Amino acid sequence: MPARRAAAYMAAATLLAMTQGFGMNLVTANLPQLQGPFGATGAEALWLIAAYMAPNVSLSLALLKIRNQYGLRHFAELGIAVFLVVSVMHLFVTDLRSVIVLRFFAGIAAAPMSSLGFLYMLEAFPPARKLTVGLSLALTNITLAPSLTRLVSPPLIDLGGVPALFHFELALALLSFGAIYLLPLTPPPRVKVIERLDFLSYPLIAIGLGAFAVVLVAGKQYWWTEAPWLGVTLVVGIAALTVAALIELNRKTPFIDLRWLVSPQILHVAAVLLIFRLILTEQTSVAGNFFQTIGLQNAQLTGLYTVVTLATVAGGLFCAATFRPGREPALHMLALILIMTGAWLDSRGTGLTRPEQMYWSQAMIAAGGSLFLPPAIASGFTMTLRKGTQYIFSFIIVFLMTQSLGGLAGSALFTSFITLREKFHANILAAHMTLGDPLVAARIGQLSAAYGHTVTDGALLRSQGVSLLGQQITREANILAHNDAFLMISLMAATAAVALAIHMIVLRIKEAGSRNVGETALQG
């Protein structure tokens, strides 16, 4: 392919990835800003995320078969057309219920976009470089989306409020619409892969995974054991997936090859991808929540997200330049060391910590994230091709599940962990705050002095000071809880690095033993 045309396909891939990524992260990055215009509480606003993710986590599975049977061109044109229609509809909704319904359809419309972003990037490279350079750049585009969304959101809201976000999403959809029609993808041969039982299996899979997505999004807000409907939803999801598994295990050509998915090699790949996704929650959830705790919003974090974006690009380019088959363990080790060090540096935060003090640590985590995923996907994909092309679909399922549900699980896990640790630290701090302590009494007096000109009642003035001190205790407990989460992530990365080192040593020993056996056989 000529260099100019290849560059055009790379630009189209970046545009499609940003279009899909902005739509996915639009609500997550601006949840506090969306509550006011739609008159929603924090718990109600979370349903915007749940409605988007419920169909999105599973629809890519069905779209892979639809694309293979009906052709890539029709798939791309129809996908971007639906996404464009949904983007236009966002401009005409003003109430929360309508937006929740629309976000459900947005999750459906966005599902083809992630696949198209991959395919357009791979189209620009020859076969020998698709799984190295092409894959690295495609995954870098996906990794960029969360930080870029938080980077562009504040100026957009300043220009036109929340509607400006939807206008920007529509503009990206229009550009993507033109790119798809101007740059057609090479059509692969069509294969009849859809069977009648797929129409029974897929709805069950969609219900099961959608139920899991809703529970993971809402559970941390409504709390896992407090809302009975969470348990009912979870039971429905487990039941649907169980029935789907029973159907699939008794099919000659299953929708999902479950027997292969539970093989040791695939379970190992899935575990690696899932651990990576959980570790990277540090940047997308924990760090952002930390700064919200100390009173900073996206507008004050543009410098940090600029650094994260640049580090992500640098890590992706470094991976594209150095990644070769056989270098996967070395790149994984470097990525884990960067993430471990960055999370450990973040674990020393205080109420006086500002974004500038986390530039280096967050840059290390962003670069580590860009380095980790391409080698893992490439090695898994190569292993799948050795098994047979019919297993590619099942491997893609592993990747999609670990990244979509893994991201939700990571956010739910660490948010819940922070909540529990906040209660723990708050109890310890409150136990040391006795009114008989002269330092505590002096602090209450300082805090209540601000109301001295308006409140004349001494008891009421003192209660105001106690209330303000309680707020400060809660704030400090939150900071300590986030530090615990950072440290936990650092320990997870360190454990993964040790496990990787042991795995590399065992492989070296086996290779040395095989060589010795071979040499002995030749000498004999």
Side-chain angles (χ1 to χ4, degrees), residues 41-398:
T41 64
E44 291 170 340
L46 273 180
W47 282 100
L48 297 173
I49 302 175
Y52 183 97
M53 295 304 300
N56 189 266
V57 293
S58 63
L59 191 59
S60 296
L61 311 183
L63 291 176
L64 286 169
K65 283 203 167 187
I66 293 172
R67 185 186 72 197
N68 291 337
Q69 180 155 327
Y70 294 103
L72 187 56
R73 181 67 178 172
H74 295 303
F75 170 80
E77 291 175 352
L78 181 61
I80 189 60
V82 173
F83 188 87
L84 184 59
V85 170
V86 173
S87 298
V88 171
M89 292 174 65
H90 274 84
L91 304 180
F92 302 99
V93 294
T94 56
D95 63 290
L96 182 64
R97 291 183 179 180
S98 299
V99 177
I100 289 175
V101 173
L102 196 55
R103 292 309 292 174
F104 178 85
F105 288 104
I108 295 174
M113 302 298 287
S114 56
S115 299
L116 291 174
F118 258 98
L119 295 171
Y120 268 85
M121 184 61 75
L122 298 182
E123 182 80 13
F125 295 94
R129 303 180 71 185
K130 287 185 187 295
L131 289 182
T132 54
V133 180
L135 186 63
S136 298
L137 296 180
L139 292 171
T140 299
N141 281 341
I142 294 176
T143 311
L144 276 173
S147 58
L148 277 178
T149 303
R150 288 167 172 79
L151 190 58
V152 303
S153 293
L156 287 173
I157 292 176
D158 289 342
L159 285 173
V162 170
L165 298 174
F166 297 125
H167 283 101
F168 184 70
E169 186 180 23
L170 175 60
L172 290 175
L174 287 169
L175 291 172
S176 299
F177 187 84
I180 285 176
Y181 274 87
L182 291 174
L183 298 169
L185 290 166
T186 302
R190 299 188 186 183
V191 182
K192 190 178 186 305
V193 292
I194 300 177
E195 300 180 359
R196 289 184 179 180
L197 276 178
D198 291 342
F199 292 98
L200 177 60
S201 293
Y202 173 71
L204 290 170
I205 294 171
I207 291 171
L209 295 180
F212 272 72
V214 170
V215 170
L216 289 172
V217 172
K220 57 192 177 184
Q221 179 69 33
Y222 292 91
W223 202 245
W224 311 99
T225 57
E226 297 298 322
W229 66 267
L230 286 172
V232 174
T233 304
L234 190 60
V235 169
V236 169
I238 294 173
L241 291 177
T242 302
V243 174
L246 292 174
I247 294 172
E248 293 300 294
L249 289 172
N250 291 281
R251 293 179 61 181
K252 291 183 178 179
T253 54
F255 186 81
I256 300 174
D257 193 334
L258 293 176
R259 291 184 176 87
W260 184 70
L261 287 182
V262 297
S263 63
Q265 297 88 349
I266 296 304
L267 288 178
H268 176 261
V269 172
V272 169
L273 293 174
L274 183 60
I275 290 172
F276 159 79
R277 195 66 189 86
L278 291 176
I279 289 173
L280 278 194
T281 308
E282 197 272 7
Q283 197 152 64
T284 55
S285 295
V286 183
N289 290 339
F290 172 82
F291 286 115
Q292 286 185 9
T293 298
I294 61 177
L296 301 181
Q297 298 298 326
N298 287 341
Q300 288 84 42
L301 302 177
T302 52
L304 177 65
Y305 291 127
T306 300
V307 170
V308 169
T309 300
L310 294 176
T312 302
V313 173
L317 293 177
F318 179 81
C319 186
T322 59
F323 177 39
R324 301 290 184 274
R327 295 182 181 177
E328 293 90 346
L331 288 172
H332 282 169
M333 183 61 73
L334 176 59
L336 288 171
I337 291 173
L338 287 172
I339 295 171
M340 175 189 69
T341 307
W344 178 76
L345 291 173
D346 287 345
S347 68
R348 299 180 296 174
T350 68
L352 299 177
T353 299
R354 291 298 177 264
E356 294 80 5
Q357 277 129 18
M358 283 194 178
Y359 280 179
W360 278 110
S361 59
Q362 290 294 299
M364 294 169 73
I365 294 169
S370 296
L371 286 172
F372 192 100
L373 196 54
I377 297 298
S379 61
F381 200 79
T382 302
M383 180 182 63
T384 304
L385 289 176
R386 291 173 185 164
K387 183 73 175 176
T389 55
Q390 69 271 23
Y391 292 96
I392 292 177
F393 177 75
S394 296
F395 174 74
I396 293 174
I397 290 172
V398 172

Side-chain angles (χ1 to χ4, degrees), residues 100 110 136 295 399 401 432 454:
I100 289 175
S136 298
F399 169 68
M401 292 302 97
H432 291 81
T454 56

Side-chain angles (χ1 to χ4, degrees), residues 429 433 443-444 446-447 465-479:
L429 292 174
M433 299 295 169
R443 185 60 177 166
I444 292 175
Q446 291 173 356
L447 293 172
V466 172
S467 175
L468 291 174
L469 181 61
Q471 293 176 16
Q472 289 191 352
I473 291 173
T474 301
R475 180 172 175 267
E476 292 302 318
N478 260 302
I479 292 171

